Amino acid sequence: MLNIRTDLALEAKEMCEDENKKIDGVKVEENLINGIKVTNVKITEDVGERIMGKPKGSYITIDIPEFTHYNGELRDELSRVLGKELKHIINSIVKIDKSMTAMVVGLGNWNITPDSLGPKVVSKLMITRHLKQLIPDKIDERIRPVCAISPGVLGLTGIETSEIISGIVGKIKPNIIICIDSLASRKVDRVNSTIQISDTGISPGSGVQNRRMELSEKALGVPVIALGVPTVVDAATMASDTIDLVLNEMIAKSKSGGEFYNILKSLDREEKRKLILEVLNPYSQNTMVTPKDVDIIIESIAKILSTGINIALQPELNAKEINAFLD
Amino acid sequence: MLNIRTDLALEAKEMCEDENKKIDGVKVEENLINGIKVTNVKITEDVGERIMGKPKGSYITIDIPEFTHYNGELRDELSRVLGKELKHIINSIVKIDKSMTAMVVGLGNWNITPDSLGPKVVSKLMITRHLKQLIPDKIDERIRPVCAISPGVLGLTGIETSEIISGIVGKIKPNIIICIDSLASRKVDRVNSTIQISDTGISPGSGVQNRRMELSEKALGVPVIALGVPTVVDAATMASDTIDLVLNEMIAKSKSGGEFYNILKSLDREEKRKLILEVLNPYSQNTMVTPKDVDIIIESIAKILSTGINIALQPELNAKEINAFLD
Amino acid sequence: MLNIRTDLALEAKEMCEDENKKIDGVKVEENLINGIKVTNVKITEDVGERIMGKPKGSYITIDIPEFTHYNGELRDELSRVLGKELKHIINSIVKIDKSMTAMVVGLGNWNITPDSLGPKVVSKLMITRHLKQLIPDKIDERIRPVCAISPGVLGLTGIETSEIISGIVGKIKPNIIICIDSLASRKVDRVNSTIQISDTGISPGSGVQNRRMELSEKALGVPVIALGVPTVVDAATMASDTIDLVLNEMIAKSKSGGEFYNILKSLDREEKRKLILEVLNPYSQNTMVTPKDVDIIIESIAKILSTGINIALQPELNAKEINAFLD
Amino acid sequence: MLNIRTDLALEAKEMCEDENKKIDGVKVEENLINGIKVTNVKITEDVGERIMGKPKGSYITIDIPEFTHYNGELRDELSRVLGKELKHIINSIVKIDKSMTAMVVGLGNWNITPDSLGPKVVSKLMITRHLKQLIPDKIDERIRPVCAISPGVLGLTGIETSEIISGIVGKIKPNIIICIDSLASRKVDRVNSTIQISDTGISPGSGVQNRRMELSEKALGVPVIALGVPTVVDAATMASDTIDLVLNEMIAKSKSGGEFYNILKSLDREEKRKLILEVLNPYSQNTMVTPKDVDIIIESIAKILSTGINIALQPELNAKEINAFLD
């Protein structure tokens, strides 16, 4: 079968839920903060882990309101909500104080626009660790040490990302790691419109190009927070969902037990796969669905995420002080 | 209804043809040149123009063989075939000699990768007109005068592209214009795998973003050759084609006149439109289907096209002399 | 002799002035606006034109305070001062009202960072002319029509910039033209720290690469305002000025009439030229002096200029409304 | 005093040499290979190390002939010479065979064009280590494992480059490391026209921005070959050299013991420093001298270096096979 998957816990939940019946071992909480919807999907027990296909932990989803990418004020508001949620989740793990070092990892391939979110976020962060070490007397003591790296992807370096990160982590021993990644979504309307924060790190098989790495507390010995935004839908996923939609529409209209059920039966998995290949052609598995103005939108999301992270990691500075440092 | 269209004469032909029955007023000729398939669709009469929805003229399609974008030698071969076809079509209109000036126009938006083909091609051309004017004694007399411009798109300039081009044409009076554009295809497997040359210029409504301009001999007073490559499929088109495919598959399996025909009947246009919107969501009309490595591929196509144009416009220079000029 | 020149009226004034003696036919006025120094050099008579080597007209210089490029608030303040001065100079020529169309021209080569200021400014402008024409009922009637183009440079297009601009001007007939250009300065400390506005247009020989075009009311039939920022010093100019500085230092220390005067005499023009060539080597005439972080600084200046122009051309909108349009 | 320094052993040699007198503990060998000048400066003894201010080892300098950056064939020839020299120096340390892993490190800041050489070279390398590990049966067994990383600079990451590299080296244990860096030269005519290869690694204080790291066998436990190209001259260095040139010219013309000697005496170090600051202004220490077309030239050098490295690290492949892998 074609690889049809989601990196989003919220989508996994929707796919697992059966007519509003709750999923065992999973708690869901919804809030509206300044008009922005924030959903917390908590996988609390083994059974939830099995059903959802994701490790136990918190998965917070922040909805990006429509038009945010074309409205500077909405963007700032969203950064503040993200900053608050992120600070909360970090403080539940370690305390952001003078002695803490945060390391931000920007995953993804800078040559492929929808996969370049991580490196773009890293380029806009407030980098301070070296200043705290080299000129501690000259910089504001309220500033917390932050460092960051964009390791590239396996095809660009020939080195597994987890090897690079664990090598650096071994040297600089951060207290917490925040990983940024571009994700794949199942639905076009979720693309570039959702931010997911989780305290579970990154599992193999996620990301725009099905990355192979695991970046988690288990693998690195340091707590890992993952920050992800779906930036593409696989074209195969979209074709598959379209086919399902047509079939469902028809089922809704057909009398049960009639001729239609036989046709439906005969259109099994293998047939569906053939139809998708016919739409996409055998050589185009590497095809994605993305907005035409993807460059502008990725830039906007990178700004939202970097500002949110700066707010979360520098709790004693205000927005003006952060900007003065960056500009 | 959603806008479902094709910029490719070859696709229009396939869509119009009914079980191998030829289209009136249209001649088709296929050739294999060094293993590269070249198809010439000639719309010769008014009836062909009406059926195909495209103006009378020659539409030459060159197939880009698989893996070309990852193989420098195949790329060079393709440039040579393109150069030959282009030279042939130019010579059928004007003679490429010392007194002729060619103007190349790179259409499209440089900020949107799949729409940036035109400007990218222009940046790789052998620009010589000013040298012929300013230092005629110092440059090789076999070099022909070529100039070029990338006018941008309406949203970037606030000026209709046809106003910009006709203004410049009025000043410099070229003998022939070659326009490069990124096109939209109906089929994913045609994306980035076909070059279309036509002697009819550019019609309104073509291009990745449905450009509004007409660039033709009628509009500009100078013969216009259009060079286009499909670089995207509208996501709406892909969803629509997927739905049709599912329906056709089912029709093929159903007995005629049964329950299925009633269902099929009830799934009319409006219903289909609703299904597509459901896949794409109302706010994502601006969605496209494109390969993940689109940046690399557009760069490769730009190299193929610019080399082909340089070969066609500088018939007295060999590849080495052209490269020496450019590098 | 080597080409040693300045595009800045303020530098020309300083070079022409002899010990605070005023230059005939030139009026100078200095103001401090919110801590930003604004100098207006007015060449009012033929004699001033001859001495200064620049056409009659107003040359307003706005000093960019130190650290502006690393401080968002200072940048906004500067944009406001620029917007006010620019609006004033435009209103002295035409009235910015509903019926007026402004055309902005971004001069320079986008491939050479310190020459890319013009195109970068154009990419950040509020482009509205097409909206006023196509959907007049749907956009805020307080918005004024603005269009813009970056024509490239002669080496990229093979077409004189003045041919491109006059061709387009003939078609769209703007009421006023604003040209943006990167300039050359004589002094390193003026680089990226001065904005010059003048109502005289652009003369041949100005710009980073000694452009050949004239863009003026005389040449185009439309009033032309020139906006320029020095972004480089020619390395030859810097070497020449260093030599002069050493000589002056020595003259100040030597008794007049002594051995030194003979040495000084023998170090004439030709000798000086030889020394400069020795520093620069014969093949490096194309060498410039520029800050290491030139990419970041050009981006910052482009933001200042584009915001200032948006303020000047949209007098009925406030900063928030302009940002909402752009973001 | 201002920081006046050189990263080039050849320049150090010229500065230390006194009227063709050889330097103790330093051997110099010149060769002409296919018209390309190759100089090997060997620092063999402690005394040479002290005089030259550089560690013992081989420093090979390859001259880049004029116009190379605008001539594809010359570029290829240069890559072959570089490949040969590099292979020779690698083979004197380790043997390039199946069991050897090479790691290439691209030093420098990708946001500052003349400092971006290292990252640009890395982006053009033949990366194979992961293929040898993941699909050993599917790739040509003549291909040697190569990996690469561009760690960024301290200001971008907050992590010392040596920490990043030693962390990764500890994980992947390469047999040899090749570091690429942009260097500073004392002379404008050496900029972008010299390649230096040395077997001594990288010392602190070298590079365009005086990097702080040491990357050497001593620091990393793996032999390190350094590949550098001077891409800038500090403006301060240029001003200083200009002043010296003027003074020397005058000394040559003055009678010894006369008035001039007194002037010369009074123009001591502090005075010279003041003159340089006057040319550059106090805030512009961060100023460099570079060609106007620096973007194009850095691209050309990156191509030369990456091709040379690919040739050296893949001795069993020919140019065509390397290109087929890369394109």
Side-chain angles (χ1 to χ4, degrees), chain C residues 253 271 286 288 290 292, chain D residues 253 271 286 288 290 292:
Chain C
K253 295 199 173 175
E271 206 103 10
N286 198 27
M288 66 184 174
T290 194
K292 285 183 188 162
Chain D
K253 293 196 172 178
E271 206 101 13
N286 198 25
M288 66 185 174
T290 194
K292 286 184 189 162

Side-chain angles (χ1 to χ4, degrees), chain B residues 91-324:
Chain B
N91 274 328
S92 72
I93 300 171
V94 293
K95 213 182 135 25
I96 309 179
D97 66 10
K98 283 190 204 180
S99 64
M100 183 209 79
T101 294
M103 175 171 157
V104 183
V105 178
L107 299 169
N109 184 342
W110 40 76
N111 295 327
I112 294 177
T113 308
D115 199 25
S116 66
L117 180 62
K120 283 225 172 66
V121 169
V122 159
S123 74
K124 294 172 200 296
L125 289 178
M126 203 173 143
I127 301 297
T128 55
R129 177 178 172 267
H130 59 307
L131 305 175
K132 301 292 282 186
Q133 290 189 335
L134 301 176
I135 48 164
D137 300 342
K138 286 191 186 151
I139 71 156
D140 190 328
E141 64 162 15
R142 297 170 304 152
I143 291 176
R144 301 287 152 260
V146 174
C147 60
I149 193 142
S150 296
V153 294
L154 187 58
L156 295 178
T157 61
I159 313 171
E160 294 282 356
T161 302
S162 50
E163 289 179 302
I164 297 175
I165 300 307
S166 72
I168 300 171
V169 163
K171 287 282 161 187
I172 70 168
K173 301 190 190 312
N175 301 88
I176 195 154
I177 296 172
I178 300 175
C179 289
I180 324 295
D181 204 2
S182 308
L183 307 176
S185 163
R186 281 193 72 84
K187 288 195 176 173
V188 172
D189 64 353
R190 197 98 67 188
V191 165
N192 301 322
S193 69
T194 291
I195 302 167
Q196 175 174 279
I197 317 171
S198 90
D199 55 9
T200 59
I202 305 255
S203 317
S206 63
V208 165
Q209 296 190 301
N210 286 356
R211 311 188 203 296
R212 299 161 32 84
M213 71 212 151
E214 176 170 1
L215 297 176
S216 63
E217 180 158 13
K218 200 179 137 203
L220 296 174
V222 178
V224 179
I225 293 173
L227 218 70
V229 173
T231 60
V232 298
V233 172
D234 276 332
T237 304
M238 182 179 144
S240 173
D241 286 355
T242 309
I243 292 169
D244 288 342
L245 209 65
V246 179
L247 297 181
N248 290 339
E249 185 77 0
M250 290 181 152
I251 288 170
K253 293 198 174 177
S254 74
K255 277 175 269 169
S256 76
E259 179 201 5
F260 185 77
Y261 271 83
N262 300 325
I263 296 170
L264 201 68
K265 236 183 236 161
S266 70
L267 197 89
D268 63 2
R269 257 184 197 188
E270 186 50 32
E271 207 103 11
K272 195 172 147 191
R273 194 181 152 277
K274 265 169 51 194
L275 282 172
I276 293 171
L277 287 184
E278 227 175 294
V279 189
L280 294 180
N281 114 309
Y283 313 113
S284 301
Q285 295 283 347
N286 198 25
T287 305
M288 66 185 175
V289 183
T290 194
K292 285 184 187 160
D293 49 356
V294 60
D295 300 78
I296 294 156
I297 287 179
I298 294 290
E299 192 63 32
S300 162
I301 299 175
K303 189 90 192 86
I304 294 167
L305 261 57
S306 59
T307 307
I309 295 171
N310 286 332
I311 290 170
L313 293 179
Q314 303 294 347
E316 298 190 31
L317 303 188
N318 59 36
K320 211 165 142 180
E321 289 168 321
I322 290 173
N323 275 329

Side-chain angles (χ1 to χ4, degrees), chain A residues 184-322:
Chain A
S185 162
R186 282 193 73 83
K187 289 197 175 170
V188 172
D189 63 353
R190 197 98 66 189
V191 165
N192 301 322
S193 70
T194 291
I195 302 166
Q196 176 174 279
I197 316 171
S198 89
D199 55 8
T200 59
I202 305 254
S203 319
S206 62
V208 166
Q209 296 190 303
N210 286 356
R211 312 189 201 297
R212 299 160 32 83
M213 70 212 153
E214 176 171 359
L215 296 177
S216 63
E217 180 158 13
K218 200 179 137 200
L220 297 172
V222 178
V224 180
I225 292 173
L227 217 71
V229 173
T231 60
V232 298
V233 172
D234 275 332
T237 304
M238 181 178 144
S240 173
D241 286 354
T242 310
I243 292 169
D244 289 341
L245 207 65
V246 178
L247 297 182
N248 290 340
E249 185 77 1
M250 289 178 153
I251 287 170
K253 293 196 174 179
S254 74
K255 275 174 271 171
S256 76
E259 180 201 5
F260 185 77
Y261 272 82
N262 300 326
I263 296 170
L264 201 68
K265 234 182 238 162
S266 70
L267 197 89
D268 64 1
R269 257 187 195 185
E270 186 50 32
E271 206 102 11
K272 193 172 147 192
R273 193 180 152 276
K274 265 169 51 194
L275 282 172
I276 292 170
L277 287 183
E278 230 175 291
V279 189
L280 293 180
N281 114 308
Y283 311 113
S284 301
Q285 295 282 348
N286 198 27
T287 304
M288 65 184 176
V289 182
T290 193
K292 285 182 186 162
D293 49 357
V294 61
D295 301 79
I296 294 156
I297 286 179
I298 295 291
E299 192 63 32
S300 161
I301 299 176
K303 189 89 192 89
I304 293 167
L305 262 55
S306 59
T307 306
I309 296 171
N310 287 332
I311 289 171
L313 293 179
Q314 302 295 347
E316 298 190 32
L317 303 189
N318 61 34
K320 210 165 144 181
E321 290 168 320
I322 290 173

Side-chain angles (χ1 to χ4, degrees), chain D residues 95-101 132 141 143-145 316:
Chain D
K95 214 183 134 24
I96 308 178
D97 65 11
K98 283 191 204 180
S99 63
M100 183 210 78
T101 294
K132 301 292 283 186
E141 63 163 17
I143 291 175
R144 300 287 152 260
E316 297 190 33

